Coordinates of all heavy atoms in Angstrom, one line a residue:
P64 N -25.6 0.0 16.4 CA -26.5 0.9 17.2 C -26.2 2.5 16.9 O -25.0 2.9 16.9 CB -26.3 0.6 18.6 CG -24.9 -0.1 18.7 CD -24.7 -0.7 17.3
D65 N -27.2 3.2 16.7 CA -27.0 4.7 16.5 C -28.0 5.4 17.4 O -29.0 5.9 17.0 CB -27.2 5.1 15.1 CG -26.9 6.5 14.8 OD1 -26.0 7.1 15.4 OD2 -27.6 7.1 13.9
T66 N -27.7 5.5 18.8 CA -28.7 6.0 19.7 C -28.9 7.6 19.5 O -30.0 8.0 19.8 CB -28.2 5.7 21.1 OG1 -26.9 6.4 21.3 CG2 -28.2 4.2 21.4
N67 N -27.8 8.3 19.1 CA -28.1 9.8 18.9 C -28.4 10.2 17.6 O -28.6 11.4 17.3 CB -26.8 10.5 19.6 CG -25.6 10.1 18.9 OD1 -25.6 9.4 17.8 ND2 -24.5 10.4 19.5
G68 N -28.4 9.4 16.6 CA -28.7 9.7 15.2 C -27.7 10.6 14.6 O -28.0 11.3 13.5
K69 N -26.5 10.5 15.0 CA -25.6 11.4 14.3 C -24.6 10.8 13.2 O -23.6 11.3 12.8 CB -24.7 12.1 15.3 CG -25.4 13.0 16.2 CD -24.6 13.9 17.1 CE -25.5 14.8 18.0 NZ -24.6 15.6 18.9
N70 N -24.9 9.5 12.9 CA -24.1 8.7 11.9 C -24.8 8.5 10.6 O -24.4 7.6 9.9 CB -23.7 7.5 12.6 CG -22.8 7.6 13.7 OD1 -21.8 8.3 13.7 ND2 -23.1 6.9 14.9
K71 N -25.7 9.4 10.3 CA -26.5 9.3 9.1 C -25.6 9.4 7.8 O -25.9 9.0 6.8 CB -27.7 10.1 9.0 CG -28.8 9.7 10.0 CD -30.0 9.4 9.3 CE -31.1 9.0 10.4 NZ -31.9 7.9 9.9
I72 N -24.7 10.4 7.9 CA -23.8 10.8 6.9 C -22.4 10.1 7.1 O -21.7 10.5 8.1 CB -23.6 12.3 6.7 CG1 -24.9 13.0 6.6 CG2 -22.6 12.6 5.6 CD1 -24.9 14.4 6.7
P73 N -22.1 9.0 6.3 CA -20.8 8.2 6.7 C -19.6 9.1 6.5 O -18.5 8.8 7.2 CB -20.9 7.1 5.6 CG -22.3 7.1 5.0 CD -22.9 8.4 5.3
A74 N -19.6 10.2 5.7 CA -18.3 11.0 5.5 C -18.0 11.8 6.7 O -17.0 12.3 6.8 CB -18.5 11.8 4.1
E75 N -19.1 12.0 7.5 CA -18.9 12.9 8.6 C -19.1 12.3 10.0 O -19.7 12.9 10.9 CB -19.9 14.0 8.5 CG -19.7 14.8 7.3 CD -20.9 15.8 7.1 OE1 -21.7 16.0 8.0 OE2 -20.9 16.6 6.0
V76 N -18.7 11.0 10.2 CA -18.8 10.4 11.5 C -17.8 11.0 12.4 O -16.8 11.5 12.2 CB -18.6 8.8 11.4 CG1 -19.7 8.2 10.6 CG2 -17.2 8.5 10.8
R77 N -18.3 10.9 13.8 CA -17.5 11.5 14.8 C -16.4 10.5 15.3 O -16.7 9.3 15.2 CB -18.4 11.9 16.0 CG -19.3 13.0 15.6 CD -20.3 13.3 16.8 NE -21.1 12.1 17.2 CZ -21.2 11.6 18.3 NH1 -20.6 12.1 19.3 NH2 -22.0 10.6 18.5
P78 N -15.4 11.0 15.9 CA -14.4 10.0 16.4 C -14.9 9.3 17.6 O -15.7 9.8 18.3 CB -13.2 11.0 16.8 CG -13.4 12.2 16.2 CD -14.9 12.4 15.9
D79 N -14.5 8.1 17.7 CA -14.9 7.1 18.8 C -16.4 6.9 18.8 O -17.0 6.7 19.9 CB -14.4 7.6 20.1 CG -12.9 7.7 20.3 OD1 -12.3 6.7 19.6 OD2 -12.3 8.5 21.0
S80 N -17.1 7.0 17.7 CA -18.5 6.7 17.6 C -18.7 5.3 17.0 O -17.8 4.7 16.4 CB -19.2 7.8 16.8 OG -18.8 7.6 15.5
A81 N -19.9 4.8 17.1 CA -20.2 3.5 16.5 C -20.1 3.5 15.0 O -19.7 2.5 14.5 CB -21.6 3.0 17.0
G82 N -20.4 4.6 14.5 CA -20.3 4.7 13.0 C -18.9 4.7 12.5 O -18.6 4.0 11.5
L83 N -17.9 5.1 13.2 CA -16.5 5.1 12.9 C -16.1 3.6 12.9 O -15.3 3.2 11.9 CB -15.6 5.9 13.9 CG -14.1 5.9 13.6 CD1 -13.9 6.7 12.4 CD2 -13.4 6.4 14.8
Y84 N -16.4 2.9 13.8 CA -16.1 1.4 13.9 C -16.8 0.6 12.9 O -16.2 -0.4 12.3 CB -16.3 0.9 15.3 CG -15.4 1.6 16.4 CD1 -16.0 2.4 17.2 CD2 -14.1 1.4 16.3 CE1 -15.2 3.0 18.2 CE2 -13.2 2.1 17.3 CZ -13.8 2.8 18.3 OH -13.0 3.5 19.1
A85 N -18.0 1.0 12.5 CA -18.8 0.3 11.5 C -18.1 0.6 10.1 O -18.0 -0.4 9.2 CB -20.2 0.8 11.4
L86 N -17.7 1.8 9.9 CA -16.9 2.1 8.6 C -15.6 1.3 8.6 O -15.2 0.9 7.5 CB -16.6 3.6 8.6 CG -17.7 4.4 8.0 CD1 -17.3 5.9 8.0 CD2 -18.1 4.1 6.6
R87 N -14.9 1.2 9.7 CA -13.7 0.4 9.7 C -14.0 -1.2 9.3 O -13.3 -1.7 8.5 CB -13.1 0.3 11.1 CG -11.8 -0.4 11.2 CD -11.4 -0.7 12.5 NE -12.3 -1.5 13.2 CZ -12.5 -1.7 14.4 NH1 -11.8 -1.1 15.3 NH2 -13.5 -2.5 14.9
D88 N -15.1 -1.6 9.8 CA -15.5 -3.1 9.5 C -15.9 -3.1 8.0 O -15.5 -4.1 7.4 CB -16.6 -3.5 10.4 CG -16.3 -3.6 11.9 OD1 -15.0 -3.6 12.1 OD2 -17.1 -3.7 12.7
L89 N -16.6 -2.2 7.5 CA -17.0 -2.2 6.1 C -15.7 -2.0 5.2 O -15.7 -2.6 4.2 CB -18.0 -1.1 5.9 CG -18.8 -1.1 4.6 CD1 -19.6 -2.3 4.6 CD2 -19.7 0.1 4.4
R90 N -14.8 -1.2 5.6 CA -13.6 -1.0 4.8 C -12.8 -2.4 4.8 O -12.4 -2.8 3.7 CB -12.7 0.0 5.5 CG -11.3 0.1 4.8 CD -10.3 1.0 5.5 NE -10.1 0.7 6.9 CZ -9.4 -0.3 7.4 NH1 -8.6 -1.0 6.6 NH2 -9.3 -0.4 8.6
E91 N -12.8 -3.1 5.9 CA -12.2 -4.4 5.8 C -12.9 -5.4 5.0 O -12.1 -6.1 4.2 CB -12.1 -5.0 7.3 CG -11.1 -4.2 8.2 CD -11.1 -4.6 9.6 OE1 -12.0 -5.5 10.0 OE2 -10.4 -4.0 10.4
K92 N -14.2 -5.4 4.9 CA -14.8 -6.2 3.9 C -14.6 -5.7 2.5 O -14.5 -6.6 1.7 CB -16.3 -6.1 4.3 CG -16.8 -6.8 5.6 CD -18.2 -6.7 5.8 CE -18.6 -7.4 7.2 NZ -20.0 -7.5 7.4
A93 N -14.5 -4.4 2.2 CA -14.3 -4.0 0.9 C -12.8 -4.4 0.5 O -12.6 -4.8 -0.6 CB -14.4 -2.5 0.9
E94 N -11.9 -4.3 1.4 CA -10.5 -4.7 1.0 C -10.4 -6.1 0.8 O -9.6 -6.6 -0.1 CB -9.5 -4.3 2.1 CG -9.3 -2.8 2.1 CD -8.4 -2.4 3.3 OE1 -8.1 -3.2 4.2 OE2 -7.9 -1.2 3.4
A95 N -11.2 -7.0 1.4 CA -11.3 -8.4 1.2 C -11.8 -8.8 -0.2 O -11.4 -9.7 -0.9 CB -12.2 -9.2 2.2
I96 N -12.9 -7.9 -0.7 CA -13.3 -8.1 -2.0 C -12.3 -7.6 -3.1 O -12.1 -8.2 -4.1 CB -14.7 -7.4 -2.1 CG1 -15.7 -8.0 -1.2 CG2 -15.2 -7.4 -3.5 CD1 -17.0 -7.3 -1.0
R97 N -11.8 -6.4 -2.9 CA -10.9 -5.8 -3.9 C -9.8 -5.2 -3.1 O -9.8 -4.1 -2.7 CB -11.6 -4.7 -4.7 CG -10.8 -4.1 -5.8 CD -11.6 -3.1 -6.5 NE -12.8 -3.6 -7.1 CZ -13.9 -2.9 -7.3 NH1 -14.0 -1.7 -6.9 NH2 -15.0 -3.5 -7.9
P98 N -8.6 -5.9 -3.0 CA -7.5 -5.4 -2.3 C -6.9 -4.1 -3.0 O -7.0 -4.0 -4.2 CB -6.4 -6.5 -2.4 CG -7.2 -7.8 -2.8 CD -8.4 -7.2 -3.5
P99 N -6.4 -3.2 -2.2 CA -5.9 -2.0 -2.7 C -4.6 -2.3 -3.5 O -3.8 -3.2 -3.2 CB -5.4 -1.2 -1.5 CG -5.4 -2.1 -0.4 CD -6.3 -3.2 -0.7
Q100 N -4.4 -1.6 -4.7 CA -3.2 -1.8 -5.5 C -2.3 -0.8 -5.3 O -2.6 0.4 -5.2 CB -3.8 -1.8 -7.1 CG -4.8 -2.8 -7.4 CD -4.3 -4.2 -7.4 OE1 -3.2 -4.4 -7.6 NE2 -5.2 -5.0 -7.0
P101 N -1.0 -1.2 -5.2 CA 0.1 -0.2 -5.1 C 0.3 0.6 -6.3 O 0.0 0.1 -7.4 CB 1.4 -1.0 -4.7 CG 1.0 -2.4 -5.3 CD -0.5 -2.6 -5.2
E102 N 0.8 1.8 -6.1 CA 1.0 2.7 -7.3 C 2.1 2.1 -8.1 O 3.1 1.7 -7.6 CB 1.3 4.1 -6.9 CG 0.2 4.8 -6.3 CD 0.5 6.3 -6.0 OE1 1.5 6.8 -6.4 OE2 -0.3 7.0 -5.3
P103 N 2.0 2.2 -9.5 CA 3.1 1.6 -10.3 C 4.4 2.5 -10.2 O 4.3 3.6 -10.0 CB 2.5 1.6 -11.7 CG 1.4 2.6 -11.7 CD 0.9 2.7 -10.2
K104 N 5.6 1.8 -10.2 CA 6.7 2.5 -10.2 C 7.0 3.2 -11.5 O 6.7 2.6 -12.5 CB 7.9 1.6 -9.8 CG 7.9 1.0 -8.5 CD 9.1 0.1 -8.3 CE 9.1 -0.6 -6.8 NZ 10.2 -1.5 -6.6
P105 N 7.6 4.4 -11.5 CA 7.9 5.0 -12.7 C 9.0 4.3 -13.5 O 10.0 3.7 -12.9 CB 8.5 6.4 -12.4 CG 8.8 6.3 -10.9 CD 8.0 5.3 -10.4
K106 N 8.9 4.2 -14.7 CA 9.9 3.4 -15.5 C 11.1 4.2 -15.7 O 11.1 5.5 -15.7 CB 9.2 3.1 -16.9 CG 8.2 2.1 -16.9 CD 7.9 1.6 -18.2 CE 6.8 0.5 -18.2 NZ 6.5 -0.1 -19.5
S107 N 12.2 3.5 -15.8 CA 13.5 4.1 -16.0 C 13.6 4.7 -17.4 O 13.0 4.2 -18.4 CB 14.6 3.1 -15.8 OG 15.9 3.8 -16.1
R108 N 14.3 5.9 -17.6 CA 14.4 6.4 -18.8 C 15.5 5.7 -19.7 O 15.6 5.9 -20.9 CB 14.8 8.0 -18.7 CG 13.8 8.7 -18.1 CD 14.1 10.2 -18.0 NE 15.5 10.4 -17.9 CZ 16.1 11.5 -17.4 NH1 15.3 12.5 -17.0 NH2 17.4 11.7 -17.5
I109 N 16.4 4.9 -19.0 CA 17.4 4.2 -19.6 C 16.8 2.9 -20.3 O 16.1 2.2 -19.6 CB 18.6 3.9 -18.6 CG1 19.1 5.2 -18.2 CG2 19.7 3.1 -19.4 CD1 20.0 5.0 -16.9

Side-chain angles (χ1 to χ4, degrees):
D65 184 37
T66 55
N67 54 13
K69 294 187 178 180
N70 294 311
K71 292 243 184 220
I72 303 172
E75 300 175 2
V76 294
R77 295 176 300 123
D79 295 329
S80 67
L83 183 71
Y84 297 110
L86 277 177
R87 182 196 62 202
D88 294 343
L89 195 63
R90 175 190 48 86
E91 290 172 356
K92 290 180 180 184
E94 287 176 346
I96 294 171
R97 185 180 300 149
Q100 301 294 324
E102 289 185 12
K104 293 182 180 179
K106 290 188 174 183
S107 175
R108 297 184 330 202
I109 301 172

